[in-house]
């Protein structure tokens, strides 16, 4: 009996055995003479928060100045791995486009597009899913966490979405992917999948490398042991990019610190006040030591208001521009349409080559 393709692939390459680390700079099979190309995506599920801005969106703006080809996908296919109201999803896609533009993503420098409008994403995902074993996916942490919210009966889509994520990246022969710590294992899956494909069908995909975020992880204002989250039920825990100055001040006034009034940076011993310092540092560009020195003589209640003003200064222009763009829905649709056209032009020849290598054409 012939072995399934994924099983044959597993015999050819053991997952993780050839990964030399995400920060490597050397070239591997399949990435010779490839033009640097950056890909990342964001789900249109709720307004991005301060942690999203510091951890991803702020660096996205910088990357479009550093690379000639940058693609940012509004990942609506990924969003339906949990139930979505269709009307809300349609509105959220446009809201996310407005948010990206308001944050500084320039459609003349970056390709901003709606994932589902480039059908090759799903087509390539099917081919790659036939190279991926169920045990490999079962061990990814986000499946364990998210399936628990669905009574441990998560959908097939939720289980296999890391394969779609790999397809998103490889479809454009991307060479670099900005990631946070919580996405490292998913990028490792993408790297391993590219190696498997190259080994079975011949050199084709470059092995994408991580652009690791240098920003410190932003924590919940109400529970600094957890990261800031869109889905946090505590309204005061998360600062959204659309919050008014008044709302931001209230949230920082209520931020959990401790019973020591001095401003110090000690993430393990004083996570609450350290989170405030991390936010200050990320938005102003000052080092944590400099912030602590300049905050001497200030107690934490005063410092909370200082950080609130830093956040207001950074987010108010974004909020105002986003509100303006939300009134220009025809423009947002045009940006996404043009972006999808550009993405399609890049994706179609890649998928055509894959289909020929696999034997479909």
């Amino acid at each position: 009996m012939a072995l399934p393709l994924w099983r044959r692939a597993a015999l050819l390459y053991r997952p993780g055995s050839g990964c030399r680390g995400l920060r490597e700079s050397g070239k591997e099979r399949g990435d010779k003479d490839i033009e640097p190309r950056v890909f990342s995506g964001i789900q249109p599920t709720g307004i991005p928060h301060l942690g999203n801005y510091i951890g991803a969106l702020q660096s996205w703006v910088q990357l479009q100045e550093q690379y000639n080809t940058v693609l940012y996908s509004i990942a609506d296919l990924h969003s339906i791995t949990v139930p979505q109201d269709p009307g809300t999803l349609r509105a959220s896609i446009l809201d996310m486009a407005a948010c990206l533009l308001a944050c500084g993503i320039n459609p003349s420098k970056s390709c901003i597009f709606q994932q589902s409008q480039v059908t090759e994403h799903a087509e390539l995902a099917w081919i790659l899913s036939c190279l991926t074993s169920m045990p490999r996916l079962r061990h990814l942490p986000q499946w364990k966490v998210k399936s628990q919210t669905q009574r441990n009966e998560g959908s097939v889509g939720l289980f296999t979405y890391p394969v779609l994520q790999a397809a998103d990246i490889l479809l454009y022969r991307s060479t670099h992917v900005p990631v946070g710590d919580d996405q490292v294992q998913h990028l490792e899956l993408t790297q391993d999948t590219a190696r498997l494909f190259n080994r079975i069908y011949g050199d084709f995909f470059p092995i994408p490398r991580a652009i690791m975020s240098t920003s410190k992880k932003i924590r919940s204002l109400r529970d600094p042991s957890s990261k800031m989250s869109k889905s946090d039920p505590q309204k005061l825990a998360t600062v959204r990019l659309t919050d008014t100055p008044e709302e931001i001040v209230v949230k920082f006034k209520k931020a959990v610190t401790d019973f020591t009034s001095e401003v110090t940076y000690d993430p393990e011993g004083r996570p609450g006040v350290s989170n405030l310092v991390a936010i200050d540092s990320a938005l102003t560009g000052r080092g944590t030591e400099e912030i602590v020195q300049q905050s001497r003589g200030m107690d934490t209640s005063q410092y909370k208001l200082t950080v609130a003003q830093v956040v207001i200064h950074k987010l108010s222009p974004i909020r105002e521009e986003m509100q303006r763009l939300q009134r220009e829905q025809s423009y947002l649709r045009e940006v996404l349409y043009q972006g999808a056209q550009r993405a399609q032009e890049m994706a179609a020849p890649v998928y055509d080559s894959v289909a020929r290598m696999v034997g479909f054409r």
Side-chain angles (χ1 to χ4, degrees), residues 131-205:
L131 295 176
T132 308
S133 72
M134 292 177 67
R136 182 72 191 280
L137 295 179
R138 195 177 293 123
H139 289 296
L140 292 173
Q142 293 202 17
W143 161 253
K144 297 178 182 178
V145 173
K146 290 190 176 183
S147 65
Q148 289 175 359
T149 66
Q150 299 183 21
R151 300 179 181 178
N152 293 316
E153 296 179 357
S155 69
V156 173
L158 180 62
F159 185 69
T160 62
Y161 92 90
V163 181
L164 176 58
Q165 196 171 58
D168 295 338
I169 296 166
L170 298 179
L171 181 60
Y172 302 97
R173 303 187 78 199
S174 308
T175 60
H176 295 80
V177 184
V179 295
D181 291 341
D182 57 346
Q183 289 293 322
V184 165
Q185 286 185 296
H186 285 184
L187 183 57
E188 288 175 343
L189 175 68
T190 302
Q191 293 172 325
D192 287 346
T193 301
R195 293 186 182 102
L196 283 170
F197 186 94
N198 291 347
R199 187 167 296 218
I200 295 170
Y201 296 108
D203 289 350
F204 183 68
F205 288 120

Side-chain angles (χ1 to χ4, degrees), residues 16-43:
S17 62
C19 184
R20 294 197 300 259
L22 293 173
R23 292 181 176 83
E24 66 185 41
S25 58
K27 289 188 175 183
E28 293 194 49
R29 290 162 46 101
D31 64 353
K32 298 175 182 177
D33 303 319
I34 296 294
E35 177 192 2
R37 183 170 290 180
V38 175
F39 178 91
S40 195
I42 188 168
Q43 292 191 35

